[in-house]
Amino acid sequence: MKYPQIIELTEYQPRQFPPDKIYYDIAEKLWQEYGKKGKKIQVEFPSPKTNHKLEFTSQGWVGYIPITPEFHVILKPKVPLHNLFGMLEYAYNLRSFRFLDGLVNCESLQEFYNCLGNILAEKILDRGRKGFYRAYLPKTENLTYIRGRLNMQQVMQKPWDVRLKCDYQEHTANIPDNQILAWTLFIIGRSGFCSENVAPKVAKAFHLFQGLVNLQPLKSSDCVNRKYHRLNEDYQILHALCRFFLDNIGASHKYGNYSMLPFLIDMAKLYEKFVAEWLKIHLPSNLRVREQEKVSIIHNKISCRIDLVIYEVKTQKVVCILDTKYKLDSKPSPDDTHQVVAYATYTKCHEAVLIYPQKLTNPINGFVGDSEVRLRSLTFALDSDLEKAGQSFLEELIKSVD
């Protein structure tokens, strides 16, 4: 078996390669698919600027990209792996599931991916043995026999038609709850990222849905805000795991028989989700955080979303506007400060905070111009213990809302 050539890139750290080490068409494909379009990897071709070498720089993405069957790229995080896994557990609400204990000790992103894939497949197999959740769905069909409610108007209009139009309730497993599971298993199976031990289990779980549900593309957003009750409460765990995979497995850039899919985590979005979920758990009981709150400005002609908004529970008053910035800046950029201050002004809030994953060389703390908005830059660090870093961040944050 011939193994592919693999190169590793760490976030924001340029790495150079002699042109004879990587074929030009590989570098061009990487630039076309992930440099020029997706802006996930900055690609510099040989020039005096790069000492006549190829230079690749990961732009805040972590994961695995199969450019061709013979050439793969691993994008490594700048944060410690165990902290990356801790962020994922918070962001996808996986911490409350006791079966994930010890998962943060995985030694690679591929191991973490395989562990979650294995857990999802096992739990779906277990649910399959008990029977998948079914629900009654309204259905209208022309039948040669009476089922449910007969459409008498059609019978009177076409008495010669032996087929009768019937409205009835069908007890079926072909519902979104199960379609999410089937589509996720299908995507995982195509990803090519599963180990030899996990891939057969994923295929076996997927086989359970053959002839049971219609396979159709779904998004991670389909996994949230679903209703659970006594008959499908265990699906909450399954859908949380599905959301992780659907969020981070991308579409294939290669057509034909080669079907491996890229597995990519947008660290900026993950950082935002992580901070939001961490605050939901740790904020004092008198405060509540909402994420991605939509606001309309300029006579409702322009709409935008605020990363995080902290409300006082009793009065529903906005007490702080938060904006996460997964950047390496030495100080807040003018665009970032103008944006968060505009959000604060619109919501009539006097406190705005920019959150960074590391301490800034030139932090900011003061009122902006003639406005009544105080702007601060705070740090929720990712290079040390996440819980301790979170508590330090929270202590500084609370000072602005008390």
Side-chain angles (χ1 to χ4, degrees), residues 96-241:
S96 58
F97 307 140
R98 302 308 301 172
F99 60 80
L100 291 178
D101 286 352
L103 205 60
V104 293
N105 295 321
C106 293
E107 296 181 357
S108 68
L109 187 60
Q110 184 170 6
E111 185 180 347
F112 184 84
Y113 177 101
N114 273 284
C115 284
L116 287 184
N118 185 62
I119 291 170
L120 177 63
E122 284 187 342
K123 288 198 164 292
I124 290 176
L125 287 169
D126 182 57
R127 178 70 206 214
R129 285 188 285 269
K130 300 174 184 176
F132 291 112
Y133 173 58
R134 293 172 178 264
Y136 286 98
L137 295 181
K139 193 170 184 179
T140 299
E141 202 171 7
N142 291 323
L143 305 172
T144 56
Y145 57 92
I146 297 177
R147 182 178 181 183
R149 186 166 59 88
L150 184 65
N151 189 315
M152 292 304 298
Q153 184 177 3
Q154 185 208 40
V155 173
M156 296 175 64
Q157 291 177 344
K158 300 179 179 180
W160 60 84
D161 194 344
V162 297
R163 294 177 305 166
L164 305 173
K165 188 175 183 180
C166 302
D167 298 318
Y168 61 94
Q169 297 283 326
E170 182 180 35
H171 196 224
T172 177
N174 189 26
I175 56 177
D177 276 7
N178 294 317
Q179 290 167 353
I180 289 171
L181 305 185
W183 179 251
T184 304
L185 289 170
F186 174 72
I187 290 296
I188 294 173
R190 287 190 62 208
S191 71
F193 207 47
C194 291
S195 67
E196 294 180 358
N197 296 328
V198 175
K201 193 175 294 185
V202 170
K204 183 179 179 181
F206 176 69
H207 183 71
L208 295 180
F209 293 102
Q210 301 300 301
L212 196 64
V213 304
N214 295 332
L215 188 65
Q216 55 184 332
L218 294 168
K219 300 177 292 185
S220 64
S221 57
D222 296 314
C223 301
V224 298
N225 297 324
R226 306 197 61 80
K227 294 181 179 180
Y228 301 100
H229 45 75
R230 182 178 58 85
L231 298 178
N232 71 340
E233 58 187 1
D234 57 334
Y235 275 71
Q236 187 171 4
I237 298 173
L238 301 177
H239 291 158
L241 290 168

Side-chain angles (χ1 to χ4, degrees), residues 11-12 58-63 75-81 83-85 87-88 109 248 264-275 324-327 357 382:
E11 287 181 273
Y12 300 112
S58 172
Q59 300 292 297
W61 292 76
V62 169
L75 304 179
K76 300 174 66 176
K78 64 182 180 181
V79 304
L81 266 179
N83 278 358
L84 172 64
F85 303 148
M87 292 169 67
L88 289 168
L109 187 60
N248 300 308
L264 289 168
I265 298 172
D266 183 342
M267 291 300 292
K269 288 185 178 179
L270 175 60
Y271 186 56
E272 178 186 326
K273 287 182 183 177
F274 163 66
V275 172
T324 56
K325 299 297 177 184
Y326 189 78
K327 295 182 177 182
L382 302 177

Side-chain angles (χ1 to χ4, degrees), residues 16 20 28 46 53 80 135 143 148-149 151-152 183 191 195 204 233 246 258 276 280 291 304 322-323 329 342 375 392:
Q16 294 184 337
D20 60 346
E28 185 177 26
K53 295 181 179 179
L143 305 172
R149 186 166 59 88
N151 189 315
M152 292 304 298
W183 179 251
S191 71
S195 67
K204 183 179 179 181
E233 58 187 1
L246 295 180
Y258 180 60
K280 287 178 184 178
E291 54 185 315
C304 52
L322 310 176
D323 203 359
D329 297 343
L375 175 63
S392 297

Side-chain angles (χ1 to χ4, degrees), residues 256-383:
N257 294 328
Y258 180 60
S259 61
M260 289 185 70
L261 304 177
F263 171 66
L264 289 168
I265 298 172
D266 183 342
M267 291 300 292
K269 288 185 178 179
L270 175 60
Y271 186 56
E272 178 186 326
K273 287 182 183 177
F274 163 66
V275 172
E277 295 301 327
W278 194 94
L279 285 173
K280 287 178 184 178
I281 294 173
H282 294 91
L283 270 178
S285 59
N286 65 312
L287 300 175
R288 182 176 63 177
V289 63
R290 294 180 189 169
E291 54 185 315
Q292 289 297 306
E293 183 154 311
K294 185 178 180 180
V295 295
S296 299
I297 56 178
I298 310 181
H299 306 295
N300 295 323
K301 291 183 178 180
I302 299 177
S303 63
C304 52
R305 293 186 180 275
I306 306 175
D307 277 6
L308 302 170
V309 182
I310 294 181
Y311 287 85
E312 188 176 56
V313 174
K314 188 175 182 179
T315 64
Q316 287 298 299
K317 176 185 176 183
V318 177
V319 295
C320 192
I321 298 295
L322 310 176
D323 203 359
T324 56
K325 299 297 177 184
Y326 189 78
K327 295 182 177 182
L328 298 176
D329 297 343
S330 60
K331 62 180 180 180
S333 69
D335 287 345
D336 292 342
T337 58
H338 293 160
Q339 182 185 52
V340 74
V341 169
Y343 291 158
T345 302
Y346 178 80
T347 56
K348 299 179 181 179
C349 173
H350 301 303
E351 295 289 340
V353 174
L354 292 169
I355 308 169
Y356 293 84
Q358 61 186 33
K359 290 185 178 180
L360 302 182
T361 308
N362 300 301
I364 189 170
N365 183 0
F367 289 90
V368 180
D370 297 328
S371 73
E372 297 180 353
V373 177
R374 182 173 69 140
L375 175 63
R376 294 195 298 157
S377 58
L378 297 181
T379 305
F380 194 135
L382 302 177
D383 57 356

